[in-house]
Every structure is written in C-alpha cells, then in structure tokens.
C-alpha cells in the first residue's frame, strides 16, 4: 500500500448496524491514485464477528466504487476485518459485480495468511512438521520466494529453501557457470561449466532432480539490472 488514510471517529455517524462516513478524504486521494496507476482499498470492521460481506456492504460498495471508478477505473478492493484480526477481501468491478480474493497476506513481525494455507503432508517434510508444526510447514508451502543471484550465497540459500518446503522459488541470474564457480555453487557440475550453463537454469535442473514435488521453480535469465530498474 502506498498511503493509508484513516477516517476520524468524530467524522462518522453511527447507528445500530451501520457507520456512515464522509468521502471527502477519499476524493482528495483520487488524483494521486489515478496518476500513479493505483487502486483504492476500503476496509472496515465487523465488531460482531460476522464473517462475510452483508447486504449493506454490497449496496455501499457498489455505490462508493461506482463513483470512484469515474475518476480511477477499477477494479478496486473492499475488505472486512474481524475482531481477531482476520481480513476478508473482494474485488469490486466497474460493473458493480464482486470477485473473491483467494488469499490475504499481512507481512509484519510474522507472516499471516487468510485463509490459513492447507497442504497435504509429504514424506520429506515429516521432520519439519515435528519441529515447526503443521501451520509453519503449510505456510512455507504457500510462499513464493525470489532469489537474485545463484552463486556462492544464492545457491545454498535456494537449496535450503527447497528442502524446507517452500512451494515456489523464483531464480534470477543472467550469469553462466564457470570452472571457478564449481567449489561454490551447490548443484553445479563440471559439465555445466564446460557448456556455460546459465546459473538459474542449472539450479532449476538441480531442484528438479530433487523430486520434491509439488514445488515449482521458475528461472529468469535476463539482465538483473534491467529487471530491477523497470
């Protein structure tokens, strides 16, 4: 998120089942959002713990985002926070229809996902589950981790991430394997150096040979500088 704007308590009008709030603070943000190609996320709470979007939510989201989309075309996002901190979210399309958001992730002192990821146990992660528990092991399976540079530091990092059960690893390195790398790049072989194999593709082959399905590896061999600058 690029900017968080809180609506002050004193500006809201409360009834038994509704909260009405002025939109002037939101209107002031729309030029910035439109210029920056950004979207609007509106979040409110359900203090009674209702786990879903009510009919009132449906009506207010359609009315609000119909106006927002005139200035900043959608889709935009509406979210509900429950008393325990869980967040539900959905896309609000320009035509007033809704599409569910499959997962909400919050990154802070801990990594929190809603709903909690579920994953079937594998033979290779039994010890992980005994040490870290099912929740942490399932969380690792749900993560995508990018590693930029697959050499003396990156290759052992990738190896450990894979063996810990990270579900998807993005490998980025435009360089090739040379003889001088063989003592530092895990999984590299003399034949990799002889043919000048790309480091990211080499590591992807190494991970494939591990056979720790259903994980996936994606290699990127283009210029790191151009990717970071873009």
């Amino acid at each position: 998120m690029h900017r968080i704007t809180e609506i002050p308590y004193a500006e809201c009008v409360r009834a038994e089942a509704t909260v009405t709030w002025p939109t002037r603070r939101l209107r002031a943000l729309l030029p910035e959002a439109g210029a920056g190609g950004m979207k609007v996320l509106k979040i409110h709470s359900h203090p009674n713990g209702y786990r879903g979007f009510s009919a009132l939510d449906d009506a207010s989201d359609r009315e609000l985002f119909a106006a927002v989309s005139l200035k900043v075309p959608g889709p935009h996002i509406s979210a509900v926070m429950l008393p325990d901190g869980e967040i539900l979210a959905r896309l609000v399309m320009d035509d007033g229809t809704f599409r569910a958001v499959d997962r909400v992730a919050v990154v802070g002192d801990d990594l929190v996902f809603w709903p909690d990821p579920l994953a079937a146990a594998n033979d290779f992660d039994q010890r992980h589950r005994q040490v870290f528990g099912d929740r942490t092991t399932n969380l690792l399976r749900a993560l995508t981790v990018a590693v930029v540079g697959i050499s003396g530091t990156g290759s052992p990092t990738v190896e450990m991430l894979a063996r810990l059960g990270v579900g998807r690893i993005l490998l980025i390195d435009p360089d090739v394997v040379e003889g001088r790398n063989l003592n530092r790049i895990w999984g590299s072989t003399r034949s990799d150096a002889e043919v000048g194999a790309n480091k990211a593709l080499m590591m992807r082959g190494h991970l494939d040979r591990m056979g720790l399905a259903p994980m996936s590896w994606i290699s990127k061999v283009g210029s790191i500088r151009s990717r970071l600058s873009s």
Side-chain angles (χ1 to χ4, degrees), residues 55-75:
L56 288 174
D57 292 334
D58 292 346
S60 63
D61 280 351
R62 288 191 176 101
E63 180 180 1
L64 175 69
F65 287 110
V68 169
S69 293
L70 294 175
K71 298 291 186 180
V72 183

Side-chain angles (χ1 to χ4, degrees), residues 155-182:
S155 64
T157 299
V158 171
E159 179 96 10
M160 289 184 285
L161 290 172
R163 295 191 182 278
L164 281 171
V166 170
R168 188 167 177 263
I169 302 177
L170 180 64
L171 309 168
I172 303 175
D173 199 322
D175 203 2
V176 298
V177 179
E178 301 177 70
R180 61 182 178 175
N181 303 139
L182 296 178

